[in-house]
Amino acid sequence: MVSIVIAALFVIVITLIYIYLKRAYSPSPDDLPGVKPHIVFGNLLNSGILTGKLSFHQVFLDYQRRFGDKFQFWFGSHRCFVFCGVEHAQIIFADRHTFEQAPLSFPNFDLLCPNAIVMLTGAKWKRHIRVLLPMLKRAKIIGHLETIVQCADRFIDQNLHPGQVHRDLVSSCQSFTMNVIGFIGFDHDFDAHINSPIKKAFRDFIFYSVSILLSPWLPRWLGKIYLKYNWKYQHAYRLIHELSEKLVEEEQNKESEMENKRPKNLIASLVSSLNEQANDDQVSSGLTHAEIFDEVLIMILAGYETTSTALSWFIFFASKNPQVQQKMKEELRKHHLLMTDDLKYVPELTSENLTSLTYCECVTKEVLRLAPVAGFSVRIATCDTIVDAVKIHRGQTVFIALNNINTDARYWHHADPRQFVPERFLGEDENHHSLAMIPFGGGHRACIGQELAWLELKTIIVRMMQRGITFEDTSENTGGYEDHLSCLPKKLAVRVRFD
């Protein structure tokens, strides 16, 4: 009798779960066109994203071609609206009171880094931004140009060898950007060569981060168990936590020796803000110890992943377009900035001569425009609203398809916007729509590290050309896309030649 009751209860529970899921995934009157979702996986599986067949930006480009500028995409069990026009971006980014950073920007990332600025909203976000932003403004960043140049020289000397086919440049680029953030953000040499322990720790941390991000259907308790008993993740987290504690302790020792000094870098600003009583009321300021750890983690992580991806794409695009490398060197020669023929002197890079390099600037812009480093930006509606006749309810998630806009022929006229053509910024597209190129997102939640990313990328590009490096194409250099926290070139294999 008991077994019959248990069996009946089991059937009832399964039936109720099926009915709930069926209703949750059933069409709604407010739906936009899109692909029918799978239960639990949504469109992540049938689009090819989960299997690695396609990247997010490829799927969004395909959906735009099939359904137009407004379509529906199911991120697991979350019904999301995707917008692909500059007029949509303008409305969503401008209305900071209606559209706020969405949890789906980094789904379940709070299991890994709950106090990082990318996860915060409202008063808590404002409290964190007051500490972080002053150190990441252009006026502060430009003062670190010499350090970035030194890191660029280290990258060239350690990783670029003439005559060899390089297949590990994505990892080498990550080492470069990690070293930059180490020096200018934390006054610390991470010595992040390819096989360094801290580099491996961040690589493992990112791997498990992506696993969590692409599993939005998992119950949170299951994600917690997965991370708690995953010894590789725990080992990586422990190494990163020890590094963070070391950075904070070293800075606290410096502070005790030099009272009343103004913060000179990010770690100094974080430590000077330490306030264990900090909360989200209107008068509280500063960050707690736990919050500082998460901010250290996310800043190193951002430096490790995003700019390095753009640099990897530059190397790929340059190898496919040797005439672009030649034109950059011609511009450097015109400004007397090329290495001397006897290889004994490389002219100094200053903010003034960097600014004077117009074509090099166009190349940097074209990399950021075309490379799908970030395929989309995500917002959540804080109240019911309407965007381009689409009803959006409070709590609903919207995606702004950044790469779709960056490569849309309606906004780019000089040449095919899917092609790498830096000259577009010297011609018809020089005065493009301000939102036709938004690699760092927009509005009040745009990337706060964009000034550093821009300076890093242009500096390393110019420095490599200064030193006479040429990237040559190979049969293995097929590109493709691989989604991590950002979208990397899947197969990058170039031969390096020194002029």
Side-chain angles (χ1 to χ4, degrees):
M1 184 65 180
V2 174
S3 60
I4 294 174
V5 171
I6 292 174
L9 288 173
F10 179 77
V11 170
I12 291 170
V13 169
I14 294 298
T15 303
L16 290 173
I17 291 174
Y18 176 79
I19 293 171
Y20 168 77
L21 291 174
K22 195 73 175 176
R23 289 186 64 185
Y25 285 89
S26 62
S28 163
D30 297 329
D31 279 358
L32 288 174
V35 175
K36 185 178 179 181
H38 288 167
I39 290 180
V40 178
F41 295 103
N43 293 131
L44 290 173
L45 188 59
N46 59 18
S47 65
I49 289 173
L50 267 187
T51 59
K53 184 179 179 181
L54 293 175
S55 67
F56 269 104
H57 90 280
Q58 288 176 296
V59 171
F60 283 3
L61 286 169
D62 177 54
Y63 279 26
Q64 183 185 19
R65 178 183 58 80
R66 293 162 63 183
F67 305 119
D69 287 345
K70 303 172 289 185
F71 56 83
Q72 185 169 276
F73 182 85
W74 284 80
F75 198 101
S77 60
H78 303 275
R79 180 193 278 116
C80 307
F81 290 160
V82 182
F83 294 93
C84 306
V86 293
E87 66 278 9
H88 304 137
Q90 198 154 15
I91 293 169
I92 293 168
F93 286 145
D95 193 349
R96 63 186 298 171
H97 300 295
T98 301
F99 294 101
E100 184 52 273
Q101 184 88 333
L104 279 186
S105 298
F106 298 92
N108 293 326
F109 196 71
D110 57 327
L111 295 176
L112 305 147
C113 205
N115 298 300
I117 193 165
V118 295
M119 302 303 302
L120 308 180
T121 59
K124 192 170 186 178
W125 174 79
K126 291 178 181 178
R127 179 162 56 82
H128 282 239
I129 202 73
R130 285 197 295 267
V131 174
L132 296 172
L133 191 57
M135 293 296 110
L136 293 170
K137 288 185 175 179
R138 178 171 176 77
K140 280 282 186 181
I141 293 301
I142 200 68
H144 297 292
L145 177 59
E146 184 179 348
T147 300
I148 297 174
V149 171
Q150 291 170 356
C151 289
D153 285 335
R154 176 193 274 194
F155 166 79
I156 293 167
D157 294 336
Q158 292 183 351
N159 300 289
L160 301 183
H161 309 295
Q164 293 186 15
V165 175
H166 292 68
R167 301 176 180 85
D168 59 355
L169 283 178
V170 169
S171 183
S172 300
C173 292
Q174 291 169 338
S175 297
F176 161 70
T177 52
M178 194 170 177
N179 282 327
V180 169
I181 195 67
F183 280 116
I184 73 174
F186 305 103
D187 195 21
H188 188 87
D189 186 356
F190 288 153
D191 188 26
H193 53 79
I194 289 177
N195 296 313
S196 71
I198 192 63
K199 175 81 177 298
K200 186 176 185 306
F202 270 96
R203 189 185 298 124
D204 289 341
F205 185 87
I206 287 177
F207 175 81
Y208 294 112
S209 298
V210 173
S211 301
I212 289 293
L213 295 179
L214 290 180
S215 306
W217 59 85
L218 282 178
R220 290 179 60 79
W221 59 268
L222 193 58
K224 288 180 180 179
I225 292 174
Y226 168 74
L227 293 174
K228 183 175 181 179
Y229 294 102
N230 187 315
W231 70 268
K232 281 191 174 182
Y233 166 79
Q234 289 296 331
H235 176 70
Y237 185 85
R238 185 169 62 253
L239 282 179
I240 295 169
H241 196 278
E242 288 172 357
L243 172 63
S244 175
E245 292 291 333
K246 179 181 178 181
L247 294 174
V248 171
E249 184 179 350
E250 287 177 352
E251 186 57 37
Q252 285 176 322
N253 291 337
K254 291 178 186 176
E255 272 201 336
S256 63
E257 295 171 6
M258 299 176 63
E259 295 183 4
N260 301 320
K261 66 170 185 173
R262 295 183 65 182
K264 292 184 178 179
N265 55 22
L266 187 61
I267 190 64
S269 183
L270 289 169
V271 169
S272 66
S273 76
L274 183 60
N275 176 12
E276 291 298 347
Q277 280 70 51
N279 56 54
D280 300 329
D281 60 34
Q282 295 298 314
V283 296
S284 183
S285 62
L287 306 179
T288 66
H289 198 275
E291 290 171 337
I292 287 177
F293 166 70
D294 280 3
E295 294 299 5
V296 169
L297 172 58
I298 201 66
M299 290 300 162
I300 300 175
L301 196 62
Y304 171 90
E305 182 75 1
T306 51
T307 310
S308 63
T309 300
L311 177 55
S312 302
W313 280 112
F314 163 75
I315 293 172
F316 176 77
F317 293 141
S319 69
K320 299 292 184 182
N321 298 274
Q323 76 284 358
V324 169
Q325 299 182 73
Q326 188 58 38
K327 288 185 73 171
M328 293 176 72
K329 290 172 185 175
E330 288 171 3
E331 182 176 57
L332 287 164
R333 184 177 292 108
K334 179 182 175 182
H335 287 82
H336 309 291
L337 290 173
L338 273 184
M339 175 185 276
T340 56
D341 291 338
D342 58 8
L343 308 182
K344 292 182 178 179
Y345 174 67
V346 186
E348 181 186 3
L349 275 182
T350 65
S351 59
E352 289 77 19
N353 57 37
L354 261 184
T355 303
S356 70
L357 297 172
T358 305
Y359 187 72
C360 293
E361 177 120 343
C362 293
V363 173
T364 309
K365 287 181 179 179
E366 186 70 345
V367 172
L368 292 173
R369 184 195 68 82
L370 187 58
V373 177
F376 53 85
S377 188
V378 192
R379 298 289 186 268
I380 191 170
T382 58
C383 60
D384 292 352
T385 188
I386 296 176
V387 174
D388 194 11
V390 178
K391 293 181 180 178
I392 300 172
H393 298 291
R394 181 177 181 271
Q396 191 157 28
T397 300
V398 297
F399 284 63
I400 302 96
L402 303 182
N403 193 253
N404 294 49
I405 296 173
N406 291 350
T407 57
D408 195 318
R410 291 173 297 181
Y411 316 126
W412 301 96
H413 310 292
H414 177 80
D416 182 350
R418 305 287 168 83
Q419 299 299 316
F420 186 77
V421 185
E423 289 78 6
R424 74 176 70 253
F425 293 101
L426 298 173
E428 194 176 356
D429 292 329
E430 181 180 3
N431 298 313
H432 59 82
H433 192 290
S434 61
L435 290 177
M437 180 180 161
I438 40 177
F440 300 107
H444 72 296
R445 297 308 298 260
C447 173
I448 64 171
Q450 57 184 286
E451 293 291 352
L452 173 58
W454 173 263
L455 184 64
E456 272 186 276
L457 186 59
K458 185 174 181 181
T459 302
I460 181 67
I461 287 173
V462 169
R463 195 63 168 180
M464 290 189 294
M465 296 299 104
Q466 263 193 301
R467 293 185 56 176
I469 291 168
T470 296
F471 296 104
E472 298 179 335
D473 198 11
T474 69
S475 59
E476 302 172 60
N477 191 39
T478 56
Y481 305 100
E482 187 172 358
D483 269 334
H484 286 235
L485 288 182
S486 56
C487 186
L488 301 163
K490 192 171 186 177
K491 293 184 179 178
L492 177 63
V494 299
R495 183 176 284 103
V496 172
R497 175 170 60 83
F498 283 77
D499 298 344

